[in-house]
Amino acid sequence: MDNVNNIDFKDLWKKQSVSQPDMKDLLLRVSKFKKAALRSLWITNILLFVTSAFIIFIWMYYQPQFISTKIGIVFTILAMVVYMFVYNKLLAKYKDIDSTQTNQEYLQKLIFIKKKQQFLQTKMMSFYFIALTVGICLYMYEYASRMSALGAGLTYGITLLWMLFNWFYIRPKQIKKQQEKINSLIEKFEEVNNQLES
């Protein structure tokens, strides 16, 4: 009974093996994150550029008559250009991540990227969707005005339903996926930094 009372729990706690996070694995995860982010950025740039070029081609080739159509095209292209401009500011931050940095530097860069992503996912994405919706609705007006009321209603209805589906289903899933990736990396680096400090 006396032996049980004399157990030094502090000493036992210090002797237990602590599982250290594997730095090679963590750096590999950061490298994969960086490559995936850069690939996503380039794909977005290419898609938005091609879409803008196609819209300009339609404007030049079909010569719309209504001013609303021209304003719609400008709104749509403006939405894409502004979004691309802000999104491309992350390019330098992704490229700055390299294997020569300290854990604290990794952590600071990941936190900065997370803040920029949140800005993109909230304010910029809201601006993008609103400007795009207004642009598309204005653009479609000239062609919808030549349709029957049913045809115009279906055209606008299907287009707006697709945009709502993107806004309320696809966008939140993408945001959640991006946040999970960066949050798990930040947590791992915080864990490593806390272990190094203790």
Side-chain angles (χ1 to χ4, degrees):
M1 202 62 148
D2 234 8
N3 265 348
V4 174
N5 292 336
N6 290 334
I7 295 176
D8 187 357
F9 287 106
K10 280 186 182 177
D11 192 42
L12 282 173
W13 184 258
K14 287 179 187 175
K15 289 180 184 174
Q16 93 178 16
S17 62
V18 178
S19 62
Q20 298 287 333
D22 184 11
M23 280 307 292
K24 284 184 182 177
D25 179 55
L26 192 51
L27 293 176
L28 182 66
R29 285 177 62 185
V30 168
S31 175
K32 283 182 182 178
F33 170 78
K34 177 183 173 179
K35 285 178 186 172
L38 286 171
R39 185 174 43 251
S40 174
L41 191 134
W42 283 113
I43 289 170
T44 302
N45 273 305
I46 290 166
L47 289 174
L48 289 179
F49 178 77
V50 168
T51 304
S52 296
F54 180 69
I55 291 169
I56 292 169
F57 167 76
I58 288 173
W59 185 354
M60 297 300 159
Y61 187 76
Y62 288 104
Q63 295 291 312
Q65 303 302 309
F66 289 18
I67 190 73
S68 62
T69 310
K70 295 170 185 172
I71 293 171
I73 290 171
V74 170
F75 259 86
T76 304
I77 292 173
L78 179 71
M80 292 183 210
V81 168
V82 169
Y83 185 79
M84 274 177 22
F85 177 76
V86 175
Y87 190 30
N88 284 331
K89 288 187 174 188
L90 276 175
L91 180 64
K93 292 300 171 189
Y94 288 133
K95 285 187 173 182
D96 274 357
I97 298 173
D98 63 36
S99 58
T100 62
Q101 296 169 332
T102 66
N103 292 337
Q104 193 61 36
E105 288 172 326
Y106 275 124
L107 187 57
Q108 288 171 349
K109 288 201 171 138
L110 289 172
I111 290 171
F112 180 83
I113 289 170
K114 180 181 176 177
K115 286 179 184 174
K116 284 289 185 191
Q117 278 184 347
Q118 286 173 334
F119 174 73
L120 272 167
Q121 293 162 348
T122 54
K123 291 182 175 63
M124 282 312 302
M125 196 57 82
S126 296
F127 164 79
Y128 177 74
F129 265 89
I130 290 168
L132 195 64
T133 303
V134 169
I136 289 172
C137 287
L138 286 170
Y139 174 79
M140 289 172 32
Y141 177 72
E142 180 175 344
Y143 307 105
S145 67
R146 298 176 190 158
M147 298 178 189
S148 66
L150 177 65
L154 279 172
T155 302
Y156 272 104
I158 291 169
T159 302
L160 293 174
L161 277 173
W162 174 247
M163 295 186 102
L164 288 171
F165 175 73
N166 275 292
W167 181 257
F168 289 109
Y169 182 73
I170 294 175
R171 184 186 67 93
K173 284 183 81 167
Q174 288 179 330
I175 289 172
K176 185 179 178 189
K177 193 174 167 184
Q178 286 177 342
Q179 286 177 344
E180 283 173 356
K181 283 180 186 176
I182 198 158
N183 284 342
S184 75
L185 285 173
I186 288 171
E187 284 171 18
K188 290 290 183 190
F189 275 105
E190 284 175 340
E191 187 182 314
V192 168
N193 284 343
N194 290 338
Q195 285 180 2
L196 291 174
E197 286 170 7
S198 61

